[in-house]
Amino acid sequence: MIRPRLTRRLPLGILALALATVSADALAIFQNGGFEQNSYAGWTLGGGTNPGLSGSQPFTGASVQILPGAAGPAAIVGAISDPRAPGIVLPRTGQHTARLNDEGGGALVTTLRQVDTVTSADIDPTDGLPHIRFAFAPVLDDPNHAPQEQPYFFVSVKNLADNSVLFEQFAYSGQPGVNFQSGSGSWKYLPFQDVDAVLPLSAVGQQIELTVVAADCALGGHGGYVYVDGFGSAQVPPPGGGGGQTEYHPVPALDGHGLALLALLVGLVGWVAARPR
Ligand SMILES: [Ca+2]
């Protein structure tokens, strides 16, 4: 369940330090991680057709099926307002944010992928460990189909050296236990969720794979998309140019699978979320 819980408020000095480290992030992990080249340079876009999720609930990234076909759309957006998700502030960082898939249907899937190597530049001096940080915000129509036919999103961070999952989040539109907010009409969304995946020191020199998936409903009539931004090792700055406050809260568990995942990830993954204003 994605439900912010205030545990600690960062002193302004630390926030300022975090913002100052953003520029240094250019040399750290992930090319064009903030999409500030106003393009998908450095990234691999893909996709196909959504035949529905495989297996039974709880669904995970392993339930994702993509049939060959034209990939779903992708865009880079700036300072726009999203009429379907009024609580999402864009762009999330800098001047540009990526949007995978869109509001149209067609049972399309859009995927985004990048593999890069963790270096010592990704070590956060506050704890001496490498971090992978980013922000995502799904916006999904909820036509109330069967769960396996609903629009969905998926994000994951995987260590390719041992195939370990450092972070994974999956949800279909309207999934019980996920704190979706109501947008316009039948649309549901989550405000930007800030991910802070803490890696072991041994990850330095190893390859990390980022994957993001956004899928329309499997029946063809309803869309779904996800905004992503700020991929890198530096702290994702607060929305609105640094005037916001930051909360830390633990990894939310979506369901039984989420709880199992949480058990695996205890101590590895943290969450940072902008305080609702
Ligand atoms: Ca950006």
Side-chain angles (χ1 to χ4, degrees), residues 42 65 260:
Q65 302 187 95

Side-chain angles (χ1 to χ4, degrees), residues 10-23:
L10 278 179
L12 282 177
I14 292 180
L15 277 178
L17 180 65
L19 288 171
T21 60
V22 169
S23 56

Side-chain angles (χ1 to χ4, degrees), residues 13-254:
I14 292 180
L15 277 178
L17 180 65
L19 288 171
T21 60
V22 169
S23 56
D25 191 44
L27 297 174
I29 198 162
F30 302 128
Q31 260 191 72
N32 190 26
F35 307 95
E36 293 305 303
Q37 293 185 34
N38 194 15
S39 75
Y40 282 97
W43 293 90
T44 302
L45 283 166
T49 300
N50 177 20
L53 296 161
S54 68
S56 54
Q57 300 192 66
F59 299 120
T60 69
S63 313
V64 169
Q65 302 187 95
I66 304 173
L67 297 181
I76 303 289
V77 304
I80 63 166
S81 59
D82 187 329
R84 286 163 293 278
I88 291 179
V89 179
L90 294 162
R92 174 62 184 82
T93 69
Q95 306 299 314
H96 307 285
T97 293
R99 184 183 66 205
L100 303 173
N101 216 328
D102 67 11
E103 68 274 21
L108 298 174
V109 183
T110 304
T111 64
L112 181 69
R113 184 173 177 268
Q114 186 173 150
V115 174
D116 203 358
T117 303
V118 179
T119 72
S120 56
D122 301 310
I123 294 175
D124 190 324
T126 59
D127 61 6
L129 295 170
H131 287 239
I132 302 292
R133 293 170 162 124
F134 61 98
F136 69 94
V139 184
L140 305 170
D141 201 354
D142 182 5
N144 201 26
H145 296 330
Q148 70 273 14
E149 297 167 341
Q150 290 277 76
Y152 67 83
F153 77 96
F154 170 63
V155 293
S156 78
V157 181
K158 188 187 281 189
N159 185 335
L160 293 182
D162 58 6
N163 239 21
S164 58
V165 175
L166 301 168
F167 172 85
E168 175 176 301
Q169 182 94 62
F170 172 94
Y172 63 81
S173 187
Q175 180 171 320
V178 180
N179 197 20
F180 279 111
Q181 300 190 14
S182 295
S184 64
S186 53
W187 287 84
K188 295 188 173 162
Y189 70 97
L190 294 176
F192 270 106
Q193 309 289 308
D194 292 1
V195 176
D196 180 357
V198 185
L199 280 54
L201 197 55
S202 60
V204 172
Q206 296 181 335
Q207 286 193 312
I208 299 295
E209 179 188 57
L210 294 176
T211 304
V212 186
V213 179
D216 297 339
C217 85
L219 302 185
H222 304 89
Y225 50 97
V226 62
Y227 295 103
V228 288
D229 206 352
F231 289 99
S233 49
Q235 183 126 19
V236 182
Q245 293 172 323
T246 302
E247 295 176 358
Y248 280 91
H249 54 96
V251 182
L254 293 177

